[in-house]
Amino acid sequence: MATSGKLHFSLVSPERALFSGDVDQVVVPGVEGQFGVLSQHAPFMTVVQQGAIRILDGSAERRIFVGGGFADVTPDGLTILAEDAVDLSQLDTAGLERDVQNAREDVRDAKDSEAKAAAERKLARLEAIRAAA
Amino acid sequence: MASLKDFRTRIASVKSTQKITKAMQMVAAAKLKRAQEAAEAARPYGEKVAGTVANLAASVKGSDAAPKLLRGSGKDQTHLVVVATSERGLCGGFNTNIVKKARELITSLEAQGKSVKLLTVGKKGRDQLKRLFGAISVGHIEFAGVRSLGSAQSAQVSAKLVEMFDAGEFDVAHLVFSRFRSVISQVPTVQQLLPVVAPEGVKTADIGGGVYSYEPGEEAILEALLPRYLDSQILGALLENAAGFYGAQMGAMDNATRNAGDLIKKLTLQMNRKRQAMITTELTEIIAGAQAV
């Protein structure tokens, strides 16, 4: 039970656990609107849409991009099952710009419809990350 | 009779083979460690999804609103067997064991009068199964050139499954893969994928008598969650397969290295016998010649 006034938050993606620790508040982009979770939040479960999760702890703020997933609030804390997660604080902006540019070229140069669809998905993801950053 | 030179060439060739198998064994050991770590790292997500599915599945059980992936198609006629094997060989009986398990499953399903379809994941499985079951094969997915298995690969498989299921191409899906028990023991296993079996024995969060609230609704969440659950099950299986493959390869290569060592010993012994026999013959000839003078 979170009696310390802190919220236990963990963020897991299919490949690995990305974040686990006690924080003050987490703001999550739910499909029915953004919501903040503090400790002692009522049990709650929702679908998360693409966007940035804000993790607030003291005066520090960390932002992590997720490509969708689920948020599960229990008395033990908040767990987010993310499909795709990128830490925005470690993001290399110039590199991202370059990736977006490359992805655009891939879309243009795609030979068949399958490759084009794959390139478009990649571009959409990169642009969503850029929008969230 | 082989000459001394023939022996030397053979020993040299076995030695170079031994070097290769030795190197492959060490590479497999290193990759095994990484594959195990990957399987380990994927576990929290899988457990969490399983727990949530178990929670939700219990609450919508028997209701008509339950998603089709959970409810099934209401029939039990057409079975899809998904066989996950490795892309490469040189791993002892690893793939053969999986294929054997798959063959047993297909034969027993057919004996029960079901129609069976086959989907192979991984090159080796297709190679071994296409002769016997080529006619019932409905597809093949290959990850050749993929350096590290991840959710992108499992999503490819689960998307195909969901697509086929929605199109009514099968009623029940089974996955045959190798469960990684230890480095030396991989157990071919059959697992039912669809309709989703609510996981048992997973710990569900104790909400202290409170009431869970769901947004948008239980069914909608389940609808979105089930494909992910399927995905995480497949990913888990693929990762265990990968770890098992490297374990099996390590064992096979260790054996090969040892066999090469034995062979070298045997050949060296034969060569030395031959050499001694030649010296003896020469000496006898010299002595005989000296006596004749």
Side-chain angles (χ1 to χ4, degrees):
Chain A
M1 284 296 272
T3 44
S4 57
K6 287 262 192 181
L7 169 75
H8 184 77
F9 172 56
S10 51
L11 176 65
V12 290
S13 80
E15 280 104 9
R16 64 204 160 95
L18 289 154
F19 184 95
S20 180
D22 291 331
V23 295
D24 284 332
Q25 188 188 358
V26 182
V27 181
V28 188
V31 281
E32 308 215 322
Q34 238 184 33
F35 61 95
V37 182
L38 295 158
S39 72
Q40 315 276 326
H41 195 290
F44 169 60
M45 164 140 215
T46 189
V47 180
V48 176
Q49 59 173 208
Q50 200 171 57
I53 297 175
R54 285 166 57 211
I55 304 166
L56 307 168
D57 191 26
S59 58
E61 179 181 334
R62 222 173 129 185
R63 289 155 56 87
I64 297 178
F65 169 83
V66 290
F70 299 89
D72 186 14
V73 186
T74 62
D76 297 329
L78 166 68
T79 308
I80 292 184
L81 305 166
E83 273 135 58
D84 171 28
V86 179
D87 194 338
L88 293 174
S89 57
Q90 288 166 12
L91 197 67
D92 160 18
T93 339
L96 181 68
E97 247 357 280
R98 207 167 46 237
D99 287 347
V100 169
Q101 212 59 43
N102 283 343
R104 282 222 180 94
E105 279 164 26
D106 285 349
V107 171
R108 209 172 46 231
D109 301 341
K111 285 189 182 69
D112 49 277
S113 61
E114 204 172 297
K116 195 175 170 97
E120 271 169 359
R121 268 202 305 280
K122 200 172 151 199
L123 178 63
R125 172 179 174 252
L126 289 170
E127 281 185 333
I129 295 175
R130 191 171 62 172
Chain B
M1 188 75 176
S3 73
L4 281 185
K5 188 162 180 288
D6 290 339
F7 275 118
R8 284 204 194 95
T9 353
R10 275 200 70 187
I11 290 173
S13 112
V14 176
K15 262 190 186 150
S16 68
T17 309
Q18 189 187 30
K19 266 185 206 146
I20 295 169
T21 55
K22 178 101 196 164
M24 280 184 80
Q25 187 211 336
M26 290 195 290
V27 171
K31 287 194 173 165
L32 169 67
K33 201 161 161 273
R34 249 192 297 156
Q36 265 180 302
E37 279 166 9
E40 203 65 47
R43 207 154 288 159
Y45 183 86
E47 277 171 6
K48 194 70 208 170
V49 175
T52 316
V53 167
N55 251 349
L56 284 167
S59 68
V60 298
K61 202 171 185 172
S63 121
D64 278 346
K68 200 176 163 210
L69 288 179
L70 186 67
R71 213 162 16 100
S73 57
K75 281 184 300 193
D76 180 29
Q77 184 49 40
T78 314
H79 288 242
L80 178 75
V81 177
V82 184
V83 183
T85 51
S86 70
E87 293 298 334
R88 292 202 232 157
L90 291 179
C91 51
F94 178 75
N95 289 317
T96 316
N97 288 339
I98 298 175
V99 165
K100 210 168 108 195
K101 190 85 187 173
R103 222 167 48 210
E104 282 167 17
L105 177 68
I106 294 174
T107 322
S108 81
L109 284 172
E110 278 176 344
Q112 289 165 38
K114 317 274 187 212
S115 48
V116 184
K117 291 178 176 177
L118 177 71
L119 174 71
T120 44
V121 179
K123 190 166 148 243
K124 289 290 156 186
R126 187 192 51 178
D127 290 353
Q128 293 193 22
L129 283 166
K130 79 176 163 203
R131 199 166 43 87
L132 266 173
F133 300 112
I136 57 168
S137 173
V138 290
H140 174 66
I141 297 172
E142 205 170 298
F143 303 130
V146 175
R147 298 192 71 184
S148 63
L149 286 168
S151 49
Q153 279 74 43
S154 60
Q156 211 180 325
V157 180
S158 61
K160 171 132 183 130
L161 281 179
V162 171
E163 185 194 313
M164 285 176 71
F165 189 69
D166 284 342
E169 287 182 43
F170 64 85
D171 304 313
V172 185
H174 308 269
L175 175 68
V176 187
F177 70 105
S178 192
R179 196 171 280 290
F180 181 83
R181 190 172 286 166
S182 75
V183 178
I184 48 161
S185 157
Q186 297 89 31
V187 191
T189 315
V190 180
Q191 186 179 337
Q192 181 175 331
L193 287 178
L194 287 173
V196 168
V197 191
E200 277 171 35
V202 284
K203 66 171 174 47
T204 49
D206 171 29
I207 56 170
V211 180
Y212 242 108
S213 57
Y214 295 96
E215 250 178 50
E218 287 182 17
E219 284 85 15
I221 289 184
L222 206 49
E223 195 88 48
L225 191 63
L226 285 172
R228 307 283 139 65
Y229 176 58
L230 182 64
D231 209 47
S232 86
Q233 274 188 311
I234 295 173
L235 180 65
L238 288 180
L239 291 173
E240 284 210 26
N241 242 2
F245 166 72
Y246 288 121
Q249 187 170 52
M250 211 175 96
M253 286 304 117
D254 184 43
N255 256 340
T257 310
R258 231 169 317 128
N259 279 347
D262 289 349
L263 194 58
I264 290 172
K265 243 189 238 160
K266 220 176 83 195
L267 284 172
T268 316
L269 188 70
Q270 277 179 12
M271 185 182 75
N272 285 342
R273 280 223 183 101
K274 169 93 181 157
R275 195 167 50 91
Q276 278 168 352
M278 275 170 70
I279 293 169
T280 319
T281 328
E282 260 174 50
L283 275 178
T284 334
E285 276 168 3
I286 292 169
I287 293 164
Q291 274 172 348
V293 172

